[in-house]
Amino acid sequence: MEQNYWLFGTELKILVDEQKSDGHYDLIEGTLAAEVETPVHLHSKYSEEIYVLEGDFTIYIPGLSIKVKVGESVFIPANTPHVVSAGSNEKNRALTVASPSGFAKLIRSVGRPATSDQPPIEDHETMKKFLNLSEAIGDVLLGPPGSRP
């Protein structure tokens, strides 16, 4: 059932989606290059658990930064503004459990199938689709990459 996609330079593998979990959760494997980070955002309809497989990540939430290393995880409750920032390793890989489902739908709908090792160049239409679907599934962008909650 594994489905591989590129979304904004990040390789995302859908391991379990709403169809397999009956809408209870999505299981996503993400691979981020060194020092790539998400914009400040929150998920109003689902929570996340991030478990590090390779490299390390820093999770920024209001008033706190949490460094997460291989074998460690962090829980991000719904409605919590946050940033996920990859460490300086060439490859940083983590599993994300999003519960209930929603994240896999966003990846499938906006991401591009990973048919090579190189991410495609994103265009204005990709961002437009991303923003529209994010709003529909309850994701809210609060600031650009580099800002903190």
Side-chain angles (χ1 to χ4, degrees):
M1 126 103 251
E2 186 177 293
Q3 305 163 49
N4 300 340
Y5 295 90
W6 286 106
L7 185 60
F8 302 119
T10 298
E11 184 178 11
L12 299 164
K13 296 179 183 178
I14 300 173
L15 303 173
V16 177
D17 65 9
E18 71 281 355
Q19 295 167 6
K20 191 169 183 179
S21 73
D22 197 27
H24 295 287
Y25 70 95
D26 298 322
L27 178 61
I28 310 296
E29 180 183 324
T31 303
L32 285 75
E35 299 177 4
V36 168
E37 66 180 43
T38 67
V40 180
H41 66 287
L42 64 80
H43 312 289
S44 66
K45 296 182 181 177
Y46 59 92
S47 60
E48 291 181 287
E49 178 83 26
I50 298 173
Y51 178 85
V52 178
L53 299 170
E54 185 175 351
D56 61 81
F57 292 82
T58 301
I59 312 303
Y60 297 95
I61 60 174
L64 192 60
S65 67
I66 305 164
K67 184 140 184 165
V68 191
K69 299 177 184 177
V70 173
E72 297 177 341
S73 68
V74 63
F75 177 72
I76 305 167
N79 294 306
T80 302
H82 64 284
V83 170
V84 178
S85 181
S88 60
N89 297 303
E90 183 178 323
K91 190 178 189 182
N92 299 277
R93 201 165 51 95
L95 291 174
T96 297
V97 177
S99 177
S101 294
F103 190 31
K105 179 180 180 182
L106 176 69
I107 295 166
R108 227 182 9 257
S109 299
V110 180
R112 296 188 184 177
T115 56
S116 76
D117 290 344
Q118 296 299 315
I121 296 172
E122 306 292 353
D123 58 19
H124 179 70
E125 276 304 306
T126 302
M127 180 56 82
K128 187 176 170 182
K129 282 174 63 177
F130 177 79
L131 292 172
N132 287 338
L133 191 57
S134 290
E135 184 178 329
I137 66 167
D139 288 359
V140 180
L141 293 178
L142 302 170
S147 59
R148 299 290 177 251

